[in-house]
Amino acid sequence: MLNVNEVYQRQHSNPALYRNPSEGVVDCLHRNNLVKALYTAKEYDEENCRFDRYWNDRRMGRAPTIAETHGHFSFDYSDVDAATCLANNHEAMDVQECKPPEWKLFG
């Protein structure tokens, strides 16, 4: 059953079964209208590399939050469909979820 699930997930976000994960991601982003029609796998790779360099230069010692990815990609990294495109094409989403501030009833 796990093998069937794996194949289903891959085909759901990558029905053309691209071998290059970046091509699968971009095709999925296009099908979900999350990027402009002319957006390419090369552009995605460039954005990803730029963001990696930017983040590594900051030497934060932790994964970035989704909010910290804002403006570095041509798509909204926090969008559920974008996350599905990335995850199902085995692209790492090395980001932390944004957590709301802890609510303290008595201050």
Side-chain angles (χ1 to χ4, degrees), residues 65-86:
T65 64
I66 287 177
E68 290 166 324
T69 66
H70 184 70
H72 292 277
F73 292 90
S74 295
F75 57 93
D76 180 1
Y77 219 80
S78 65
D79 185 276
V80 172
D81 290 329
T84 301
C85 291
L86 292 163

Side-chain angles (χ1 to χ4, degrees), residues 17 24-25 30 84:
L17 295 177
V25 167
H30 281 164
T84 301

Side-chain angles (χ1 to χ4, degrees), residues 5-52:
N5 186 47
E6 171 89 14
V7 171
Y8 171 78
Q9 287 179 342
R10 282 192 182 188
Q11 286 182 325
H12 182 268
S13 288
N14 185 0
L17 295 177
Y18 291 105
R19 288 184 181 200
N20 179 344
S22 299
E23 290 175 2
V25 167
V26 171
D27 181 56
C28 181
L29 293 172
H30 281 164
R31 283 185 283 105
N32 286 286
N33 297 316
L34 299 172
V35 291
K36 294 179 182 176
L38 298 176
Y39 188 69
T40 65
K42 182 179 178 185
E43 288 175 278
Y44 168 72
D45 287 338
E46 289 170 355
E47 289 175 348
N48 212 12
C49 285
R50 268 195 310 270
F51 182 74
D52 283 346

